[in-house]
Amino acid sequence: MSISPRQTPRPRPSTFLLLTVVSLCLLWHFVRLVQPANLSAYEAFLPMLWGGLAALLGRRGETWQRKSFWLLAGSFCYLFLRCMADGPVSLRGNTADIFNALLVFGVYYQLAFGFTAEQLKSYLRVLCGVWALLETVLALAGLWVALYDLVIPSLAGSNVLGLSAQRLNLFFYATITSSNLTTSIALACVGLFVARRAVSRVLYALAILIMWMALGLTATRSGYLTIGLALGLYLSLPLLRLLRTHTRVWEWLLRVLCLALAVGFVAGAYFALNATIPLFNDVQANVRAQAEEGVETLAPPEESDPWLAEGAEWLDPLGAVDSVQQRPLQFDSHLFTERQYIWDAVIRYYQEHPSDLLFGLGLVNPLEQVMVYLEADYEYVHTHSIYLQVLMEYGLVGVALMLLFLWRLASASLRLFFAKDRPLWQCALPVLPVMALVTDLMECFLLLNCNYPALSFTMLFAGLTLYMAPGNHDLLPAYAKGGKHEKAA
């Protein structure tokens, strides 16, 4: 029997209130972007809210009946015990990991369970629309300030909107900006599947185009590749449904065609996004040339001022142009952008300290111990691979817990993505987690202490995928045959 949401006659006000509060937790990301005054004081009370939401959602969805729930609960307990093992200072210093684990495991993962398919579809319709709108406005602002060579700081003055180091930052460093944009484009694609009206689809397509242009200016190659994978998988869904209806082709061949389409989009997206950079630079040069017409250039400094004459570049009143720098593929040591050095350092450390392999190095500056084995003059804040990062911090126990959960997610994703009797919007749910997990082969956007949108939506859509997937494979044996779960409409 397949598992799906329970059918309720009419949504209660408590349902709307619960979904609204969870949505506000997700949208808190945009509050953190601008860094208003006393932000940390407000955020100190949020873990209490998250704990209450986790308890309500767990009771509503009866998630204790699921294997994936116990894997996440075991991961949370292990995280807490690992921090305790490093002493009270570590426990106090790493509360962000614990609280964010409570949020993403307890709230976002559990959200899907206990609601009907129609309620979840309506919820995604609103959530994807609001998120895509806010991220599109932010992308438009970034394109505007980059075009006119401007900079807008956040309220706290620490984050910058504009070009920095020849790459676009939207209040985050370029690679994090790229992760936020790829996540938002994926959400807009889901919005296309759940939209009811043609005008909504047109607006989603326009939002995708704007965010696509901004993504190109981040010059983040990993983002280029993974958004191509996501778009290829999204497009293969209606194509797969069409081929099944009008042709008699073996199922395995259809799946191979889907894979080929995704690979083609990976290559196409990379070259298309790379091509946006010289186009933008040409437009920026033309805009600047028009702005300089009629502006009198300042006279060069007098020779009597040696500092200005020798050490500084004489600029006109409009300031220096910071064009976006293209980053083509180089099949040498720069292919992985020097990530291979930190990967090698982690491997070398464990080769000489195998006793640390079981439980890892903990969360107290683990890179300080690894950097000794670094054979290059680079600085790293993480290992640039979430899988190596988990191995370094939590050891084989942590990696095993993560891989067991991902195995359940992968199995459910394949069943749901290729399901013949499910709506397209449900089949599209696994794409975002797949995109994020592939990206984090070379990145660390799923770090708990950061709680970037990639992590939040990965756990949200992981719960949706496990809930919507055909079959009762995620239920514990005692509940799988109980008959309490009804089929989705």
Side-chain angles (χ1 to χ4, degrees), residues 39-345:
L39 179 64
S40 58
Y42 302 137
E43 290 186 329
F45 295 96
L46 291 180
M48 292 185 288
L49 172 66
W50 300 340
L53 286 174
L56 287 173
L57 290 169
R59 177 64 185 88
R60 181 186 179 98
E62 299 180 349
T63 51
W64 59 81
Q65 301 178 7
R66 298 184 169 271
K67 301 172 186 176
S68 55
F69 168 82
W70 291 106
L71 285 172
L72 291 177
S75 301
F76 182 82
C77 292
Y78 177 67
L79 167 66
F80 186 78
L81 293 173
R82 190 66 187 84
C83 290
M84 288 185 62
D86 291 330
V89 176
S90 172
L91 185 60
R92 288 192 298 268
N94 294 291
T95 52
D97 295 71
I98 298 172
F99 290 151
N100 287 335
L102 173 65
L103 174 63
V104 298
F105 296 168
V107 179
Y108 298 151
Y109 158 77
Q110 293 191 123
L111 178 66
F113 308 100
F115 295 95
T116 67
E118 199 57 37
Q119 286 172 344
L120 291 172
K121 185 178 181 180
S122 299
Y123 174 71
L124 287 175
R125 189 178 291 129
V126 175
L127 177 64
C128 293
V130 174
W131 189 279
L133 173 63
L134 293 174
E135 192 68 25
T136 301
V137 171
L138 184 61
L140 273 175
L143 291 170
W144 179 74
V145 300
L147 190 63
Y148 288 93
D149 196 32
L150 305 174
V151 169
I152 300 176
S154 67
L155 295 178
S158 58
N159 294 335
V160 173
L161 181 70
L163 291 180
S164 178
Q166 299 178 303
R167 304 172 70 184
L168 179 63
N169 295 339
L170 301 181
F171 293 128
F172 281 111
Y173 182 63
T175 54
I176 305 171
T177 296
S178 171
S179 171
N180 296 341
L181 286 169
T182 53
T183 301
S184 302
I185 291 173
L187 287 171
C189 291
V190 174
L192 284 171
F193 284 106
V194 299
R196 288 180 296 187
R197 297 180 176 85
V199 64
S200 299
R201 296 186 179 93
V202 172
L203 292 175
Y204 273 122
L206 183 60
I208 290 172
L209 178 61
I210 293 171
M211 290 186 286
W212 177 276
M213 294 168 59
L215 175 61
L217 301 190
T218 64
T220 305
R221 293 174 296 183
S222 59
Y224 292 0
L225 298 174
T226 50
I227 195 58
L229 172 66
L231 292 177
L233 291 174
Y234 282 128
L235 185 61
S236 67
L237 284 171
L239 180 61
L240 183 64
R241 195 65 57 93
L242 182 66
L243 290 174
R244 281 172 174 165
T245 304
H246 298 285
T247 62
R248 292 184 178 180
V249 182
W250 295 307
E251 182 68 19
W252 67 267
L253 182 56
L254 292 178
R255 299 187 180 193
V256 171
L257 290 175
C258 290
L259 178 61
L261 181 64
V263 172
F265 262 80
V266 168
Y270 175 82
F271 290 110
L273 284 164
N274 227 10
T276 62
I277 295 176
L279 291 176
F280 170 81
N281 289 338
D282 290 343
V283 173
Q284 186 193 51
N286 291 332
V287 169
R288 185 168 180 79
Q290 294 177 6
E292 287 178 335
E293 292 181 1
V295 178
E296 183 180 356
T297 302
L298 294 178
E302 298 180 0
E303 295 182 358
S304 58
D305 192 337
W307 185 86
L308 286 177
E310 298 177 5
E313 180 182 359
W314 190 241
L315 305 176
D316 60 72
L318 294 175
V321 179
D322 194 6
S323 300
V324 183
Q325 182 181 10
Q326 212 161 10
R327 303 172 71 213
L329 285 175
Q330 297 173 262
F331 294 95
D332 52 22
S333 61
H334 194 66
L335 178 63
F336 298 107
T337 321
E338 288 74 45
R339 287 166 169 80
Q340 67 272 19
Y341 298 121
I342 187 62
W343 297 342
D344 180 67

